[in-house]
Amino acid sequence: MLIDARKLPQDETLETEVCIVGAGPAGITLARELARTDFRVILLETGGLNFDRNTQSLTLGESVNNHFETLESQRCFQFGGTANFWKIRIGNNVIGVRYAPLDKIDFEKRDWLPYSGWPFDKSHLDPFYKRAHQLCQLGNFSYDAQDWEEAQTPSLPFSGNVTTNMFQFGPRAVFTHDSREVIQQARNITTYLNASLVEIETDETATNVTRLRVACLSGKEFWVRAKFTILATGGIEAARLLLLSNKVQTTGLGNQNDLVGRFFMDHSLVDGGKLIPNNPEIFHKTALYDLRRVNNIPVMGKLTLTEECMHNQQLLNISTLMFPIPKLHQLKAANSLKTLLLSIHNPQVRQDILKHLKNIVFGLDYILPAAYGAIIKQEPFVPSLAWSGWSYIPDKERRFTGFTLLQIAEQVPDPDNRITLTGDRDRLGRQRVKLHWRWNEIDIEHINRTQDILQQEIALAGIGELQIERNGNLPKLIHPGLHHHMGTTRMHDDPKQGVVDRNCQVHGISNLFIASSSVFPTGGFANPTLTIVALAMRLADHIKNIMGVN
């Protein structure tokens, strides 16, 4: 059942066994897993079914010492959460997202990586990853290239420190639409829309959550009493809600060791260089690295260092994606057309219109098919993480000059990269957040060393020459983050090193749990959604076990 919370009586108190805060992928997964049990579940969502600018204003915040986009562009307060922002076209008119599990090494305690190590290894989470595959509508739980390559689409012939493995892609509708119907039909679940958690109240020792204060932008407030509360919000909001709840524990709930909000991580997108191939035939032999369907499953190959290499060289985890580069005159044509379309009313552009039109005319051999892709398929003109289908273009050796390499990099956990509260307040009276983020020397060093290894391996394999450009000693940063907010309520069995334990229970609070990428101790390079869903399923099993449900 879906209810608009604005229609509830003022100061109404709702009673339930489980209250889930947040209807993004984590909260939706929890609700689906707890559906059709014999206990009541309330699902609270700040937004509605559709995007609303007033609601989205609640995501406003500051970011300092970095080049992050505005915080409101990275989060979505709407049923389905940030899944509503996913935009990769994965074929058959379906919009989706990239999936991969964390690697075995990502769970390990690595001596060269401060604050690394999960309370359990990857094999423990594998059964939940397999269940997550079913929910996310993915293929077999396999990311080895050999399970997806064919005679016409082989892996590149690396023999040393570099290997190929895969991404899979799944539809965003799983979370934005399909699950809404499943949850709405579940008799034991009531979803309240336009309902923002304002404060978590506890007993006088801050060891038990007693009730939740919830507010609507209309000015209405109500209460929820639950045996168990689960924060299923993102890496920023989970920390914010704990910090805001400071009546009893003045530093915020779970923050007795000053860890809430610390260790913020994201995945940086880095320019990995330009690959100039030795033989143009490579464009006909690299379809494995394009987003395409194999047995009707959208997949895409990527380059990574082998785990042996990462151990031996003591390196962070980084993935490398390959996208072909149009010839210079074609790229100029694409950029000129883009400039004209985006800046029609710009006087400076009007002065240069002849130059841009000349570029376009000379690049019509690329512009016409690219424009078709952009208009009909809504694909980008030039290489980006959302570009797909290039392997089906005819005459690739005439159209492309090489590959641009885009790298998704793991970030070292750093306690000084953190979320704090500011003096500014949102429309519900809650303090807004400030993001403190910076690259560390270890981040920079590991990216540079990984690029050097990749450059050597490409040469040794006879593939071509990797030309790397840097800003002095700094890698060329394309985006500091990909909206993959992690680490702010990290998981550790020791309360002096983590906010939640291995069961995602907040240390010292008997009935408060967190289902979010905020619990990740480390983030690898993989998009976090598959791990979020797997951890949510694992937590749902834990809650059912406590409730005596098999």
Side-chain angles (χ1 to χ4, degrees):
M1 181 165 49
L2 297 177
I3 295 176
D4 187 336
R6 295 172 295 188
K7 297 179 181 179
L8 289 173
Q10 179 70 19
D11 289 328
E12 174 90 346
T13 296
L14 307 175
E15 304 278 349
T16 188
E17 277 70 49
V18 177
C19 181
I20 303 167
V21 181
I28 286 171
T29 300
L30 281 162
R32 290 187 61 144
E33 292 292 304
L34 298 179
R36 293 177 295 279
T37 56
D38 58 0
F39 54 85
R40 297 164 296 172
V41 177
I42 284 178
L43 177 60
L44 299 177
E45 169 53 43
T46 293
L49 298 179
N50 300 308
F51 183 85
D52 176 75
R53 292 192 179 277
N54 289 329
T55 303
Q56 189 65 11
S57 72
L58 297 174
T59 66
L60 286 166
E62 300 177 32
S63 57
V64 295
N65 300 328
N66 61 71
H67 304 286
F68 262 84
E69 300 173 31
T70 57
L71 296 188
E72 63 270 23
S73 68
Q74 301 183 47
R75 302 186 289 158
C76 183
F77 284 179
Q78 177 185 347
F79 189 96
T82 309
N84 290 283
F85 285 173
W86 297 345
K87 60 182 179 182
I88 299 176
R89 295 189 171 268
I90 61 176
N92 299 339
N93 295 317
V94 176
I95 297 176
V97 72
R98 196 183 317 270
Y99 285 104
L102 293 176
D103 290 328
K104 178 177 177 288
I105 194 172
D106 297 327
F107 292 86
E108 296 174 356
K109 170 67 176 174
R110 290 167 273 176
D111 293 338
W112 68 92
L113 182 59
Y115 305 104
S116 61
W118 289 54
F120 44 79
D121 59 22
K122 181 176 180 291
S123 64
H124 171 79
L125 206 57
D126 279 343
F128 301 98
Y129 274 137
K130 293 176 182 178
R131 284 167 53 183
H133 260 234
Q134 296 177 359
L135 173 59
C136 297
Q137 298 180 17
L138 304 176
N140 292 333
F141 182 57
S142 173
Y143 291 82
D144 294 333
Q146 63 185 17
D147 294 329
W148 301 96
E149 62 185 358
E150 300 166 344
Q152 299 78 20
T153 59
S155 301
L156 288 172
F158 295 108
S159 59
N161 295 317
V162 175
T163 188
T164 297
N165 45 43
M166 309 300 292
F167 281 118
Q168 295 191 39
F169 295 77
R172 74 177 182 188
V174 168
F175 299 109
T176 59
H177 293 86
D178 301 350
S179 292
R180 183 195 311 170
E181 301 300 322
V182 174
I183 293 170
Q184 189 170 5
Q185 293 171 12
R187 294 183 179 181
N188 67 317
I189 298 178
T190 304
T191 302
Y192 291 91
L193 303 174
N194 305 301
S196 299
L197 178 59
V198 174
E199 185 181 8
I200 305 167
E201 291 194 353
T202 69
D203 57 19
E204 59 186 16
T205 60
T207 57
N208 187 70
V209 174
T210 54
R211 63 178 183 171
L212 309 175
R213 182 160 66 95
V214 188
C216 308
L217 283 175
S218 62
K220 187 166 293 182
E221 290 193 355
F222 63 98
W223 304 87
V224 177
R225 291 187 183 275
K227 290 183 179 179
F228 299 100
T229 296
I230 305 173
L231 301 183
T233 53
I236 292 177
E237 200 66 14
R240 180 193 188 195
L241 292 172
L242 293 179
L243 293 172
L244 286 170
S245 303
N246 57 9
K247 281 186 177 177
V248 176
Q249 196 163 311
T250 57
T251 57
L253 291 180
N255 201 29
Q256 58 269 28
N257 293 302
D258 191 26
L259 293 173
V260 173
R262 293 189 182 273
F263 299 98
F264 176 89
M265 297 174 290
D266 204 327
H267 292 133
S268 296
L269 182 63
V270 177
D271 184 340
K274 182 179 180 180
L275 171 57
I276 307 300
N278 289 336
N279 189 330
E281 283 297 311
I282 192 174
F283 298 113
H284 297 282
K285 298 178 180 179
T286 44
L288 184 69
Y289 302 90
D290 186 17
L291 197 170
R292 69 194 222 293
R293 287 180 176 261
V294 177
N295 298 326
N296 205 33
I297 303 298
V299 296
M300 183 182 197
K302 62 182 183 292
L303 304 177
T304 64
L305 299 181
T306 63
E307 292 202 358
E308 182 181 13
C309 175
M310 283 187 278
H311 277 293
N312 292 340
Q313 300 293 326
Q314 299 190 344
L315 289 169
L316 294 172
N317 208 348
I318 297 174
S319 67
T320 302
L321 289 80
M322 300 172 53
F323 299 93
I325 307 170
K327 292 185 176 179
L328 181 59
H329 72 282
Q330 297 170 334
L331 196 57
K332 284 183 176 179
N335 288 331
S336 287
L337 180 58
K338 181 179 179 181
T339 299
L340 290 179
L341 292 175
L342 295 178
S343 309
I344 293 175
H345 302 295
N346 188 325
Q348 180 62 44
V349 172
R350 287 201 297 270
Q351 293 176 18
D352 297 333
I353 192 168
L354 290 179
K355 179 188 74 175
H356 290 301
L357 288 175
K358 183 179 178 181
N359 288 340
I360 292 170
V361 169
F362 279 106
L364 283 177
D365 59 334
Y366 176 74
I367 281 291
L368 291 178
Y372 172 82
I375 295 170
I376 304 300
K377 299 182 180 179
Q378 297 186 13
E379 295 173 346
F381 275 118
V382 293
S384 76
L385 287 180
W387 198 25
S388 65
W390 57 262
S391 61
Y392 298 104
I393 297 175
D395 301 325
K396 289 183 282 293
E397 70 280 2
R398 291 196 307 107
R399 295 179 182 273
F400 302 132
T401 60
F403 292 93
T404 186
L405 274 52
L406 301 182
Q407 296 181 310
I408 303 173
E410 178 179 12
Q411 185 183 10
V412 61
D414 179 355
D416 291 329
N417 285 341
R418 63 184 302 196
I419 298 294
T420 61
L421 300 180
T422 73
D424 294 337
R425 296 182 180 270
D426 65 18
R427 297 177 61 180
L428 295 174
R430 303 177 300 181
Q431 290 173 270
R432 297 192 186 277
V433 298
K434 179 182 290 187
L435 168 61
H436 308 257
W437 181 92
R438 65 186 176 94
W439 256 358
N440 283 278
E441 288 299 323
I442 189 172
D443 296 310
I444 296 167
E445 175 199 351
H446 286 219
I447 292 171
N448 287 344
R449 287 172 58 201
T450 297
Q451 290 179 347
D452 291 342
I453 291 172
L454 187 58
Q455 184 180 54
Q456 296 166 8
E457 292 291 322
I458 287 173
L460 287 172
I463 295 170
E465 177 189 2
L466 178 60
Q467 300 173 350
I468 301 171
E469 293 185 19
R470 293 181 178 134
N471 296 320
N473 187 47
L474 296 178
K476 288 186 67 175
L477 180 64
I478 299 174
H479 293 296
L482 295 175
H483 310 178
H484 301 164
H485 306 149
M486 302 170 286
T488 56
T489 65
R490 66 196 325 260
M491 184 192 304
H492 201 286
D493 285 334
D494 182 355
K496 293 183 179 180
Q497 299 186 60
V499 176
V500 303
D501 65 14
R502 67 177 57 218
N503 293 316
C504 297
Q505 179 182 331
V506 176
H507 283 295
I509 305 178
S510 63
N511 59 345
L512 181 60
F513 296 83
I514 299 179
S516 169
S517 51
S518 66
V519 306
F520 290 16
T522 53
F525 65 75
N527 296 48
T529 305
L530 191 66
T531 304
I532 291 171
V533 172
L535 287 174
M537 290 178 164
R538 178 177 176 270
L539 177 54
D541 284 2
H542 181 64
I543 294 295
K544 287 190 284 189
N545 184 57
I546 294 174
M547 298 290 291
V549 177
N550 294 326

